[in-house]
Amino acid sequence: MVETLKRLRLILGDQLNHQHSWFKEEQENITYIFMEMRQETDYTVHHIQKVVGFFLAMRNFADHLKERDHQVIYYRISDENNQQDLAENIKQLIAENDIEKFEYQLPDEYRLDEQLKKICDSLSIQTEAYDTEHFLTKRDDLEKFYAGKKQMTMEYFYRDMRKKYDIMMATKNDPEGGKWNFDKSNRKKWTGKPEIPHERGFRKDVSALVKEIEEAGIKTIGNIDEKSFNWPTSREDGLSVLNYFCKNLLIHFGDFQDALHTDKAYLFHSRLSFCMNTKMLSPKEVIDSVVGYYYDHTDEIDISQVEGFVRQILGWREYMRGIYWLKMPGYRRSNKLDNQNELPPFYWNGNTKMNCLHHAITQSLDNAYAHHIQRLMITGNYALLTQCHPDEVDAWYLGIYIDAIEWVEITNTRGMSQFADGGIVATKPYVSSGSYINKMSNYCKNCHYKVSKKTEEDACPFNSLYWNFLDDKKEYFRNNQRMNMMMSLLEKKDAQEITKIKERAAQIIKNPSDF
């Protein structure tokens, strides 16, 4: 019998993949290591629910492995032998356990990828990196797909992925339903009907874990109900949420995926992003479950409900990861519009008279969650219109949302939301006046400000900010065809109106706490 090397295998907090081939191998002389570290809790200020969610999911997965007789070492945040640093912990474990080979799964964050390469270079034992076996693309697939193309339009990548994985295809080259994208069917305002089922929630008592986090001195933001933590933190939880989504929410998901409402935080959204971003669920099994359920219920569920969901995962999620690995590390410094302002203080407490921002931010602080349109067209829109530095916007988004990991956060923030990459991800900036917010939500109904007014004291701040932004940044958009119509409308405004717009906008940007 050949003696196997004594191996130490690292599992990071977003690598909780039950289906990984690691766990199907002969397990002799293999030890798995999980670490809760200040290195990870402190690189930005995270939401308390995010820290709790990650720690609880990690602990649950470690217990799952132990129950199946895998050898596991788990460093809790409060453990005395925890050095709170990845390199120090690995070196300590290798020495204490006579490890002969160190193995890890490729991280999805650039900083951890670089750190692990340096750690491996410093070790005197064998090392090996493995794929996470989660994504439907490799790191460099996007680069290969767009080689020689001028524009990296997501739609063409998405269509290729549909063909590659034979998802909702009528023939080898033709999509079901006669078209690839039903986005125009996904823009309905929710006005109280149809009734929205309660989310598939949980009531977990995490008070002991919260106390542990507080006693460790970890700085966090946001709120938590310690006796009733509401997020899925195991594979079983995730499958339950997925099943609930298919049975109760999918039927109206597409119609109202862009809708916003003061009383409904989740609407028909799945709440699966944390499960997927920690790899408790794989994108393929989520897509297969949703599409399979649709096929069994085509008499009641329209294809537009399903395609919108598939596009988010098969298209946008894989595309954003590809952009991340193609453009890092320079991407995290991109600021093509040269925005320099600070993020307003109300982003940390929701204290603003603007109803849309008050609700989106308060919901984020209460739930560690906001859906994509709240992130893009409310908080992101305002940050861009007030010309905040993308570093500030990045840090806020990365910290406040439970599903925020840099590979998906930074591409959505700097690219999609802030146009800081100059048009790599989005062909035009996603900005709007108050009219779009009014069209998609009930936020404007009880707002202190009037969406119909432009520059008066009680005018919606988004209105003057929008035209001021276009005027301030017009040189950047001069050759952008998708901006031609709005730039033409800007040019038609007379000097007196522009002066009023710019005076009102300057007042808002200079004194955000007054609004």
PDB file of all heavy atoms in Angstrom, residues 426-456:
ATOM      1  N   ALA A 426     -21.211  48.484 -18.726  1.00  0.00           N
ATOM      2  CA  ALA A 426     -22.434  49.142 -19.204  1.00  0.00           C
ATOM      3  C   ALA A 426     -22.089  50.098 -20.339  1.00  0.00           C
ATOM      4  O   ALA A 426     -21.066  50.780 -20.289  1.00  0.00           O
ATOM      5  CB  ALA A 426     -23.105  49.897 -18.065  1.00  0.00           C
ATOM      6  N   THR A 427     -22.947  50.147 -21.351  1.00  0.00           N
ATOM      7  CA  THR A 427     -22.655  51.023 -22.490  1.00  0.00           C
ATOM      8  C   THR A 427     -23.024  52.477 -22.209  1.00  0.00           C
ATOM      9  O   THR A 427     -22.632  53.379 -22.938  1.00  0.00           O
ATOM     10  CB  THR A 427     -23.414  50.545 -23.747  1.00  0.00           C
ATOM     11  OG1 THR A 427     -24.798  50.365 -23.419  1.00  0.00           O
ATOM     12  CG2 THR A 427     -22.836  49.220 -24.234  1.00  0.00           C
ATOM     13  N   LYS A 428     -23.800  52.694 -21.135  1.00  0.00           N
ATOM     14  CA  LYS A 428     -24.123  54.062 -20.713  1.00  0.00           C
ATOM     15  C   LYS A 428     -24.318  54.051 -19.195  1.00  0.00           C
ATOM     16  O   LYS A 428     -24.568  53.002 -18.611  1.00  0.00           O
ATOM     17  CB  LYS A 428     -25.384  54.570 -21.401  1.00  0.00           C
ATOM     18  CG  LYS A 428     -26.663  53.863 -20.970  1.00  0.00           C
ATOM     19  CD  LYS A 428     -27.858  54.467 -21.664  1.00  0.00           C
ATOM     20  CE  LYS A 428     -29.162  53.803 -21.225  1.00  0.00           C
ATOM     21  NZ  LYS A 428     -29.509  54.088 -19.825  1.00  0.00           N
ATOM     22  N   PRO A 429     -24.185  55.214 -18.545  1.00  0.00           N
ATOM     23  CA  PRO A 429     -24.398  55.244 -17.092  1.00  0.00           C
ATOM     24  C   PRO A 429     -25.872  55.014 -16.747  1.00  0.00           C
ATOM     25  O   PRO A 429     -26.762  55.532 -17.422  1.00  0.00           O
ATOM     26  CB  PRO A 429     -23.952  56.648 -16.685  1.00  0.00           C
ATOM     27  CG  PRO A 429     -24.053  57.460 -17.923  1.00  0.00           C
ATOM     28  CD  PRO A 429     -23.782  56.535 -19.065  1.00  0.00           C
ATOM     29  N   TYR A 430     -26.115  54.235 -15.700  1.00  0.00           N
ATOM     30  CA  TYR A 430     -27.490  54.001 -15.234  1.00  0.00           C
ATOM     31  C   TYR A 430     -27.871  55.106 -14.256  1.00  0.00           C
ATOM     32  O   TYR A 430     -27.757  54.955 -13.052  1.00  0.00           O
ATOM     33  CB  TYR A 430     -27.612  52.615 -14.601  1.00  0.00           C
ATOM     34  CG  TYR A 430     -27.782  51.535 -15.647  1.00  0.00           C
ATOM     35  CD1 TYR A 430     -26.680  50.989 -16.297  1.00  0.00           C
ATOM     36  CD2 TYR A 430     -29.051  51.097 -16.006  1.00  0.00           C
ATOM     37  CE1 TYR A 430     -26.833  50.017 -17.275  1.00  0.00           C
ATOM     38  CE2 TYR A 430     -29.220  50.127 -16.974  1.00  0.00           C
ATOM     39  CZ  TYR A 430     -28.104  49.590 -17.612  1.00  0.00           C
ATOM     40  OH  TYR A 430     -28.267  48.637 -18.592  1.00  0.00           O
ATOM     41  N   VAL A 431     -28.317  56.223 -14.821  1.00  0.00           N
ATOM     42  CA  VAL A 431     -28.773  57.367 -14.033  1.00  0.00           C
ATOM     43  C   VAL A 431     -30.179  57.728 -14.474  1.00  0.00           C
ATOM     44  O   VAL A 431     -30.576  57.451 -15.608  1.00  0.00           O
ATOM     45  CB  VAL A 431     -27.845  58.593 -14.192  1.00  0.00           C
ATOM     46  CG1 VAL A 431     -26.517  58.363 -13.484  1.00  0.00           C
ATOM     47  CG2 VAL A 431     -27.609  58.932 -15.678  1.00  0.00           C
ATOM     48  N   SER A 432     -30.899  58.334 -13.568  1.00  0.00           N
ATOM     49  CA  SER A 432     -32.248  58.791 -13.934  1.00  0.00           C
ATOM     50  C   SER A 432     -32.652  59.938 -13.028  1.00  0.00           C
ATOM     51  O   SER A 432     -32.091  60.126 -11.950  1.00  0.00           O
ATOM     52  CB  SER A 432     -33.261  57.653 -13.791  1.00  0.00           C
ATOM     53  OG  SER A 432     -33.628  57.479 -12.425  1.00  0.00           O
ATOM     54  N   SER A 433     -33.662  60.660 -13.469  1.00  0.00           N
ATOM     55  CA  SER A 433     -34.305  61.650 -12.604  1.00  0.00           C
ATOM     56  C   SER A 433     -35.328  60.912 -11.746  1.00  0.00           C
ATOM     57  O   SER A 433     -35.399  59.684 -11.755  1.00  0.00           O
ATOM     58  CB  SER A 433     -34.991  62.711 -13.465  1.00  0.00           C
ATOM     59  OG  SER A 433     -36.026  62.104 -14.227  1.00  0.00           O
ATOM     60  N   GLY A 434     -36.162  61.664 -11.041  1.00  0.00           N
ATOM     61  CA  GLY A 434     -37.168  61.035 -10.190  1.00  0.00           C
ATOM     62  C   GLY A 434     -38.247  60.303 -10.966  1.00  0.00           C
ATOM     63  O   GLY A 434     -38.952  59.457 -10.402  1.00  0.00           O
ATOM     64  N   SER A 435     -38.390  60.584 -12.249  1.00  0.00           N
ATOM     65  CA  SER A 435     -39.492  60.000 -13.027  1.00  0.00           C
ATOM     66  C   SER A 435     -39.404  58.482 -13.108  1.00  0.00           C
ATOM     67  O   SER A 435     -40.418  57.783 -13.023  1.00  0.00           O
ATOM     68  CB  SER A 435     -39.537  60.608 -14.433  1.00  0.00           C
ATOM     69  OG  SER A 435     -38.329  60.352 -15.116  1.00  0.00           O
ATOM     70  N   TYR A 436     -38.202  57.941 -13.268  1.00  0.00           N
ATOM     71  CA  TYR A 436     -38.054  56.477 -13.324  1.00  0.00           C
ATOM     72  C   TYR A 436     -38.446  55.858 -11.983  1.00  0.00           C
ATOM     73  O   TYR A 436     -39.144  54.842 -11.932  1.00  0.00           O
ATOM     74  CB  TYR A 436     -36.625  56.072 -13.682  1.00  0.00           C
ATOM     75  CG  TYR A 436     -36.404  54.571 -13.578  1.00  0.00           C
ATOM     76  CD1 TYR A 436     -36.724  53.736 -14.642  1.00  0.00           C
ATOM     77  CD2 TYR A 436     -35.919  53.994 -12.405  1.00  0.00           C
ATOM     78  CE1 TYR A 436     -36.558  52.359 -14.543  1.00  0.00           C
ATOM     79  CE2 TYR A 436     -35.750  52.625 -12.298  1.00  0.00           C
ATOM     80  CZ  TYR A 436     -36.067  51.811 -13.366  1.00  0.00           C
ATOM     81  OH  TYR A 436     -35.920  50.446 -13.263  1.00  0.00           O
ATOM     82  N   ILE A 437     -38.002  56.480 -10.899  1.00  0.00           N
ATOM     83  CA  ILE A 437     -38.304  55.967  -9.555  1.00  0.00           C
ATOM     84  C   ILE A 437     -39.814  55.972  -9.335  1.00  0.00           C
ATOM     85  O   ILE A 437     -40.386  55.016  -8.802  1.00  0.00           O
ATOM     86  CB  ILE A 437     -37.573  56.800  -8.486  1.00  0.00           C
ATOM     87  CG1 ILE A 437     -36.058  56.688  -8.686  1.00  0.00           C
ATOM     88  CG2 ILE A 437     -37.958  56.352  -7.077  1.00  0.00           C
ATOM     89  CD1 ILE A 437     -35.240  57.695  -7.910  1.00  0.00           C
ATOM     90  N   ASN A 438     -40.467  57.024  -9.787  1.00  0.00           N
ATOM     91  CA  ASN A 438     -41.924  57.138  -9.661  1.00  0.00           C
ATOM     92  C   ASN A 438     -42.633  56.083 -10.509  1.00  0.00           C
ATOM     93  O   ASN A 438     -43.651  55.514 -10.106  1.00  0.00           O
ATOM     94  CB  ASN A 438     -42.374  58.533 -10.077  1.00  0.00           C
ATOM     95  CG  ASN A 438     -43.834  58.793  -9.741  1.00  0.00           C
ATOM     96  OD1 ASN A 438     -44.314  58.421  -8.682  1.00  0.00           O
ATOM     97  ND2 ASN A 438     -44.527  59.431 -10.671  1.00  0.00           N
ATOM     98  N   LYS A 439     -42.085  55.808 -11.664  1.00  0.00           N
ATOM     99  CA  LYS A 439     -42.667  54.827 -12.589  1.00  0.00           C
ATOM    100  C   LYS A 439     -42.631  53.415 -12.019  1.00  0.00           C
ATOM    101  O   LYS A 439     -43.557  52.622 -12.215  1.00  0.00           O
ATOM    102  CB  LYS A 439     -41.911  54.883 -13.920  1.00  0.00           C
ATOM    103  CG  LYS A 439     -42.372  53.875 -14.957  1.00  0.00           C
ATOM    104  CD  LYS A 439     -41.470  53.923 -16.172  1.00  0.00           C
ATOM    105  CE  LYS A 439     -41.793  52.788 -17.137  1.00  0.00           C
ATOM    106  NZ  LYS A 439     -40.829  52.727 -18.267  1.00  0.00           N
ATOM    107  N   MET A 440     -41.554  53.087 -11.286  1.00  0.00           N
ATOM    108  CA  MET A 440     -41.340  51.707 -10.834  1.00  0.00           C
ATOM    109  C   MET A 440     -41.691  51.473  -9.367  1.00  0.00           C
ATOM    110  O   MET A 440     -41.561  50.351  -8.876  1.00  0.00           O
ATOM    111  CB  MET A 440     -39.874  51.318 -11.063  1.00  0.00           C
ATOM    112  CG  MET A 440     -39.444  51.280 -12.514  1.00  0.00           C
ATOM    113  SD  MET A 440     -40.477  50.188 -13.532  1.00  0.00           S
ATOM    114  CE  MET A 440     -40.185  48.610 -12.751  1.00  0.00           C
ATOM    115  N   SER A 441     -42.119  52.505  -8.645  1.00  0.00           N
ATOM    116  CA  SER A 441     -42.301  52.342  -7.201  1.00  0.00           C
ATOM    117  C   SER A 441     -43.436  53.209  -6.659  1.00  0.00           C
ATOM    118  O   SER A 441     -44.020  54.009  -7.388  1.00  0.00           O
ATOM    119  CB  SER A 441     -41.010  52.738  -6.470  1.00  0.00           C
ATOM    120  OG  SER A 441     -40.885  54.159  -6.415  1.00  0.00           O
ATOM    121  N   ASN A 442     -43.703  53.045  -5.363  1.00  0.00           N
ATOM    122  CA  ASN A 442     -44.612  53.953  -4.662  1.00  0.00           C
ATOM    123  C   ASN A 442     -43.831  54.883  -3.739  1.00  0.00           C
ATOM    124  O   ASN A 442     -44.404  55.529  -2.864  1.00  0.00           O
ATOM    125  CB  ASN A 442     -45.646  53.151  -3.858  1.00  0.00           C
ATOM    126  CG  ASN A 442     -45.025  52.435  -2.657  1.00  0.00           C
ATOM    127  OD1 ASN A 442     -43.831  52.139  -2.657  1.00  0.00           O
ATOM    128  ND2 ASN A 442     -45.828  52.149  -1.643  1.00  0.00           N
ATOM    129  N   TYR A 443     -42.513  54.936  -3.914  1.00  0.00           N
ATOM    130  CA  TYR A 443     -41.657  55.752  -3.042  1.00  0.00           C
ATOM    131  C   TYR A 443     -42.040  57.235  -3.064  1.00  0.00           C
ATOM    132  O   TYR A 443     -41.979  57.923  -2.052  1.00  0.00           O
ATOM    133  CB  TYR A 443     -40.190  55.629  -3.463  1.00  0.00           C
ATOM    134  CG  TYR A 443     -39.521  54.311  -3.159  1.00  0.00           C
ATOM    135  CD1 TYR A 443     -38.443  53.876  -3.938  1.00  0.00           C
ATOM    136  CD2 TYR A 443     -39.922  53.509  -2.096  1.00  0.00           C
ATOM    137  CE1 TYR A 443     -37.799  52.681  -3.663  1.00  0.00           C
ATOM    138  CE2 TYR A 443     -39.292  52.318  -1.823  1.00  0.00           C
ATOM    139  CZ  TYR A 443     -38.222  51.897  -2.610  1.00  0.00           C
ATOM    140  OH  TYR A 443     -37.589  50.719  -2.339  1.00  0.00           O
ATOM    141  N   CYS A 444     -42.399  57.737  -4.237  1.00  0.00           N
ATOM    142  CA  CYS A 444     -42.641  59.176  -4.388  1.00  0.00           C
ATOM    143  C   CYS A 444     -43.957  59.623  -3.757  1.00  0.00           C
ATOM    144  O   CYS A 444     -44.148  60.811  -3.472  1.00  0.00           O
ATOM    145  CB  CYS A 444     -42.630  59.553  -5.869  1.00  0.00           C
ATOM    146  SG  CYS A 444     -41.084  59.111  -6.716  1.00  0.00           S
ATOM    147  N   LYS A 445     -44.870  58.669  -3.534  1.00  0.00           N
ATOM    148  CA  LYS A 445     -46.225  58.980  -3.071  1.00  0.00           C
ATOM    149  C   LYS A 445     -46.245  59.778  -1.770  1.00  0.00           C
ATOM    150  O   LYS A 445     -46.958  60.777  -1.653  1.00  0.00           O
ATOM    151  CB  LYS A 445     -47.019  57.677  -2.918  1.00  0.00           C
ATOM    152  CG  LYS A 445     -48.489  57.887  -2.652  1.00  0.00           C
ATOM    153  CD  LYS A 445     -49.212  56.541  -2.583  1.00  0.00           C
ATOM    154  CE  LYS A 445     -50.683  56.732  -2.266  1.00  0.00           C
ATOM    155  NZ  LYS A 445     -51.389  55.425  -2.156  1.00  0.00           N
ATOM    156  N   ASN A 446     -45.475  59.351  -0.790  1.00  0.00           N
ATOM    157  CA  ASN A 446     -45.472  60.029   0.517  1.00  0.00           C
ATOM    158  C   ASN A 446     -44.140  60.717   0.815  1.00  0.00           C
ATOM    159  O   ASN A 446     -43.760  60.876   1.977  1.00  0.00           O
ATOM    160  CB  ASN A 446     -45.806  59.022   1.622  1.00  0.00           C
ATOM    161  CG  ASN A 446     -47.228  58.504   1.501  1.00  0.00           C
ATOM    162  OD1 ASN A 446     -48.154  59.279   1.352  1.00  0.00           O
ATOM    163  ND2 ASN A 446     -47.381  57.189   1.532  1.00  0.00           N
ATOM    164  N   CYS A 447     -43.443  61.114  -0.223  1.00  0.00           N
ATOM    165  CA  CYS A 447     -42.139  61.751  -0.045  1.00  0.00           C
ATOM    166  C   CYS A 447     -42.307  63.232   0.328  1.00  0.00           C
ATOM    167  O   CYS A 447     -43.279  63.891  -0.061  1.00  0.00           O
ATOM    168  CB  CYS A 447     -41.328  61.633  -1.329  1.00  0.00           C
ATOM    169  SG  CYS A 447     -39.613  62.221  -1.158  1.00  0.00           S
ATOM    170  N   HIS A 448     -41.337  63.738   1.064  1.00  0.00           N
ATOM    171  CA  HIS A 448     -41.293  65.166   1.414  1.00  0.00           C
ATOM    172  C   HIS A 448     -41.183  66.014   0.149  1.00  0.00           C
ATOM    173  O   HIS A 448     -41.663  67.157   0.113  1.00  0.00           O
ATOM    174  CB  HIS A 448     -40.082  65.406   2.331  1.00  0.00           C
ATOM    175  CG  HIS A 448     -39.809  66.845   2.629  1.00  0.00           C
ATOM    176  ND1 HIS A 448     -40.473  67.534   3.628  1.00  0.00           N
ATOM    177  CD2 HIS A 448     -38.957  67.743   2.055  1.00  0.00           C
ATOM    178  CE1 HIS A 448     -40.032  68.773   3.665  1.00  0.00           C
ATOM    179  NE2 HIS A 448     -39.111  68.933   2.732  1.00  0.00           N
ATOM    180  N   TYR A 449     -40.549  65.449  -0.889  1.00  0.00           N
ATOM    181  CA  TYR A 449     -40.302  66.194  -2.126  1.00  0.00           C
ATOM    182  C   TYR A 449     -41.304  65.813  -3.210  1.00  0.00           C
ATOM    183  O   TYR A 449     -41.900  64.750  -3.185  1.00  0.00           O
ATOM    184  CB  TYR A 449     -38.870  65.933  -2.608  1.00  0.00           C
ATOM    185  CG  TYR A 449     -37.828  66.408  -1.628  1.00  0.00           C
ATOM    186  CD1 TYR A 449     -37.163  65.496  -0.800  1.00  0.00           C
ATOM    187  CD2 TYR A 449     -37.521  67.758  -1.492  1.00  0.00           C
ATOM    188  CE1 TYR A 449     -36.219  65.929   0.122  1.00  0.00           C
ATOM    189  CE2 TYR A 449     -36.587  68.203  -0.580  1.00  0.00           C
ATOM    190  CZ  TYR A 449     -35.938  67.282   0.232  1.00  0.00           C
ATOM    191  OH  TYR A 449     -35.021  67.720   1.146  1.00  0.00           O
ATOM    192  N   LYS A 450     -41.458  66.700  -4.197  1.00  0.00           N
ATOM    193  CA  LYS A 450     -42.410  66.501  -5.282  1.00  0.00           C
ATOM    194  C   LYS A 450     -41.653  66.087  -6.547  1.00  0.00           C
ATOM    195  O   LYS A 450     -40.833  66.851  -7.062  1.00  0.00           O
ATOM    196  CB  LYS A 450     -43.192  67.786  -5.543  1.00  0.00           C
ATOM    197  CG  LYS A 450     -43.946  68.330  -4.320  1.00  0.00           C
ATOM    198  CD  LYS A 450     -45.098  67.411  -3.926  1.00  0.00           C
ATOM    199  CE  LYS A 450     -45.930  68.024  -2.807  1.00  0.00           C
ATOM    200  NZ  LYS A 450     -45.193  68.075  -1.524  1.00  0.00           N
ATOM    201  N   VAL A 451     -41.967  64.908  -7.035  1.00  0.00           N
ATOM    202  CA  VAL A 451     -41.276  64.393  -8.218  1.00  0.00           C
ATOM    203  C   VAL A 451     -41.601  65.210  -9.467  1.00  0.00           C
ATOM    204  O   VAL A 451     -40.823  65.239 -10.437  1.00  0.00           O
ATOM    205  CB  VAL A 451     -41.615  62.904  -8.430  1.00  0.00           C
ATOM    206  CG1 VAL A 451     -43.070  62.723  -8.867  1.00  0.00           C
ATOM    207  CG2 VAL A 451     -40.652  62.250  -9.414  1.00  0.00           C
ATOM    208  N   SER A 452     -42.719  65.931  -9.453  1.00  0.00           N
ATOM    209  CA  SER A 452     -43.132  66.728 -10.616  1.00  0.00           C
ATOM    210  C   SER A 452     -42.409  68.063 -10.715  1.00  0.00           C
ATOM    211  O   SER A 452     -42.449  68.731 -11.750  1.00  0.00           O
ATOM    212  CB  SER A 452     -44.646  66.984 -10.555  1.00  0.00           C
ATOM    213  OG  SER A 452     -44.975  67.667  -9.352  1.00  0.00           O
ATOM    214  N   LYS A 453     -41.738  68.464  -9.626  1.00  0.00           N
ATOM    215  CA  LYS A 453     -41.040  69.755  -9.630  1.00  0.00           C
ATOM    216  C   LYS A 453     -39.553  69.591  -9.943  1.00  0.00           C
ATOM    217  O   LYS A 453     -38.976  68.544  -9.677  1.00  0.00           O
ATOM    218  CB  LYS A 453     -41.242  70.459  -8.287  1.00  0.00           C
ATOM    219  CG  LYS A 453     -42.701  70.836  -8.008  1.00  0.00           C
ATOM    220  CD  LYS A 453     -42.837  71.691  -6.764  1.00  0.00           C
ATOM    221  CE  LYS A 453     -44.282  72.119  -6.552  1.00  0.00           C
ATOM    222  NZ  LYS A 453     -44.419  73.003  -5.365  1.00  0.00           N
ATOM    223  N   LYS A 454     -38.970  70.661 -10.486  1.00  0.00           N
ATOM    224  CA  LYS A 454     -37.604  70.550 -11.012  1.00  0.00           C
ATOM    225  C   LYS A 454     -36.536  71.175 -10.111  1.00  0.00           C
ATOM    226  O   LYS A 454     -35.564  70.519  -9.753  1.00  0.00           O
ATOM    227  CB  LYS A 454     -37.523  71.208 -12.402  1.00  0.00           C
ATOM    228  CG  LYS A 454     -38.546  70.694 -13.394  1.00  0.00           C
ATOM    229  CD  LYS A 454     -38.482  69.191 -13.595  1.00  0.00           C
ATOM    230  CE  LYS A 454     -39.546  68.712 -14.577  1.00  0.00           C
ATOM    231  NZ  LYS A 454     -39.632  67.241 -14.593  1.00  0.00           N
ATOM    232  N   THR A 455     -36.709  72.453  -9.754  1.00  0.00           N
ATOM    233  CA  THR A 455     -35.640  73.152  -9.024  1.00  0.00           C
ATOM    234  C   THR A 455     -36.141  73.904  -7.792  1.00  0.00           C
ATOM    235  O   THR A 455     -35.345  74.550  -7.096  1.00  0.00           O
ATOM    236  CB  THR A 455     -34.914  74.152  -9.960  1.00  0.00           C
ATOM    237  OG1 THR A 455     -35.881  75.054 -10.510  1.00  0.00           O
ATOM    238  CG2 THR A 455     -34.188  73.435 -11.081  1.00  0.00           C
ATOM    239  N   GLU A 456     -37.430  73.815  -7.497  1.00  0.00           N
ATOM    240  CA  GLU A 456     -37.966  74.501  -6.324  1.00  0.00           C
ATOM    241  C   GLU A 456     -37.460  73.834  -5.044  1.00  0.00           C
ATOM    242  O   GLU A 456     -36.885  72.749  -5.067  1.00  0.00           O
ATOM    243  CB  GLU A 456     -39.503  74.473  -6.356  1.00  0.00           C
ATOM    244  CG  GLU A 456     -40.120  75.193  -7.550  1.00  0.00           C
ATOM    245  CD  GLU A 456     -40.313  74.303  -8.763  1.00  0.00           C
ATOM    246  OE1 GLU A 456     -39.577  73.270  -8.895  1.00  0.00           O
ATOM    247  OE2 GLU A 456     -41.172  74.620  -9.584  1.00  0.00           O
TER     248      GLU A 456
END
